[in-house]
Every structure is written in structure tokens, then in C-alpha cells.
Amino acid sequence: MVMTERSNEEQSDLQEKVVHIRRVAKVVKGGRNLTFNAVVVVGDGQGQVGVGFGKGKAVPDAIRKGATIARKDMTPITLNGSTIPYSVTTKFRASQVLLRPAQPGAGIKAGGAVRAVMEALGVKDVVAKALGSRNPINVVQAAIQGLRQMEALAPSEEEHTRKAVLPTAPDRRTPLRREASSRRDRDRGDRERRDSGPRPAPVRSTTDG
């Protein structure tokens, strides 16, 4: 694994980290064609990071192409101070990465591939562990995928405010009072209907005479 840092004069605020360079040989009829693949991580150190995979016949060409792709692929990630908001576990192909927040001053406890992503992102305190395959290409992809998943699942400010405001609890005695009053009204109506009904005619007494 090759870990180098390049400074860009045009965009000095961005950090470029070459995580891995691989030489690929393709056997053809006339011999072997050698090409190089480079995995480049680009970040501004303030919550944005991207990864790019460049190919070229020379190492500088592959790194340049990878950095260009990484700049276009940069994604903003919401941080909690110097660490990540909460734990997340993601899997990319045969690699699995576990990211956990750490206390201030703990530092970056991670391998080379995940460390490059966290440094480019601006995270200073985090605990990361790579499970399964240690292929740096898959590990970087799993780390980026975990950060994007974390950003997608994070609640927005409006949702947080909407959840924080709770409605007032209804008075439990109100339905009982309504039920009792309605029952009294029904009884009163029945009595009024009975009283307003036709009264029987008085019986007159007849005497002989």
C-alpha cells in the first residue's frame, strides 16, 4: 500500500491522499500492456470527502484522473465536533467496516485506508475496524458508503424541532364530564316529553235527577 499526499496549487484547501496504487498487466499478442490503477481520496477537512479510481499508463496520470473523479464525487457529511455523530456498520462486497465515535483526544484509531478517509473528512477522534477482506479498494468504498448512510439517516433540523415540541396531554376527566352531562340532558328531555304529552280529560260525575 502506498500512502502519499499531494498539494494542489489551484485548490489548496483540498487534501489529496493516494490510498493504493496497483499495477495491471494485460497480455496481448504483441506482449504485455502495463497500466496503473490509483485510489485517491479528496477532502476539505471540514466535512466533505470523495473517492476516485483513476487508470492510466503512468502513475501520475492515474493519480490525476483519480483526484479529478474524487472532486466531482465529494459529499458533505455532518460531524459532531471532532468525531462522527453515531456508530454505523456497512459492507461493500467482501469488506465490512465499523465506525464508532470517540471521546475528544482519542485520535484516529483506524487502518491506513480508513485513516485516509477520516483525515480528509476532518475527523480527529474515531474508532474504526475493518472486518472481512482487507482489500483497500473495498475498505475505502465501505467507509464512504457508511458515511453517506449516516448522513442520509441523520434527522434534519425541522424534523428535530418537530419531534421536540410535544402536544398537550388531553384531560382525562373531560370525556367523563361530557358523558355525564349528556346523560342528564337525555333524562331531562325524556321528562319534558312526558310532561308535555296530552293529559287525560277529567271525569265528570253524573247524578240522577
Side-chain angles (χ1 to χ4, degrees):
M1 181 181 297
V2 179
M3 295 289 298
T4 60
E5 240 182 275
R6 299 173 63 243
S7 60
N8 192 350
E9 296 179 358
E10 298 178 358
Q11 299 179 354
S12 58
D13 56 339
L14 297 181
Q15 302 178 10
E16 296 182 6
K17 297 180 178 294
V18 181
V19 179
H20 183 69
I21 296 178
R22 182 176 57 179
R23 186 181 67 175
V24 180
K26 181 179 180 181
V27 179
V28 294
K29 185 175 181 181
R32 293 190 305 173
N33 291 338
L34 295 178
T35 57
F36 296 90
N37 297 347
V39 181
V40 183
V41 176
V42 176
D44 61 353
Q46 298 179 359
Q48 290 188 354
V49 67
V51 61
F53 302 90
K55 299 179 181 180
K57 295 183 178 180
V59 175
D61 297 338
I63 295 176
R64 184 174 60 255
K65 292 180 181 179
T68 303
I69 297 174
R71 291 192 192 96
K72 297 179 181 180
D73 192 56
M74 291 182 64
T75 304
I77 306 297
T78 303
L79 303 180
N80 185 13
S82 62
T83 185
I84 57 179
Y86 51 87
S87 302
V88 65
T89 302
T90 55
K91 182 178 181 182
F92 183 82
R93 295 182 180 177
S95 299
Q96 188 174 2
V97 174
L98 171 63
L99 302 176
R100 290 181 179 177
Q103 296 294 332
I108 301 177
K109 298 180 180 179
V114 182
R115 177 182 292 272
V117 176
M118 294 301 158
E119 289 179 352
L121 180 61
V123 176
K124 299 180 180 179
D125 305 306
V126 70
V127 178
K129 186 174 181 61
L131 307 174
S133 175
R134 301 300 177 89
N135 185 351
I137 300 177
N138 295 339
V139 171
V140 170
Q141 285 281 42
I144 295 292
Q145 182 176 338
L147 294 174
R148 291 176 178 174
Q149 179 181 352
M150 184 185 307
E151 179 67 17
L153 297 178
S156 60
E157 296 182 359
E158 296 180 358
E159 294 178 356
H160 182 73
T161 306
R162 192 160 53 246
K163 291 180 180 179
V165 178
L166 298 178
T168 57
D171 190 0
R172 297 181 178 179
R173 295 175 297 178
T174 303
L176 298 179
R177 291 180 178 178
R178 290 179 179 176
E179 183 178 358
S181 61
S182 61
R183 187 175 300 173
R184 287 196 299 269
D185 295 340
R186 288 197 301 269
D187 296 341
R188 185 182 302 171
D190 295 340
R191 288 196 301 269
E192 290 178 356
R193 284 193 297 272
R194 287 197 302 268
D195 296 340
S196 62
R199 296 182 179 180
V203 179
R204 298 179 179 179
S205 60
T206 58
T207 57
D208 295 336

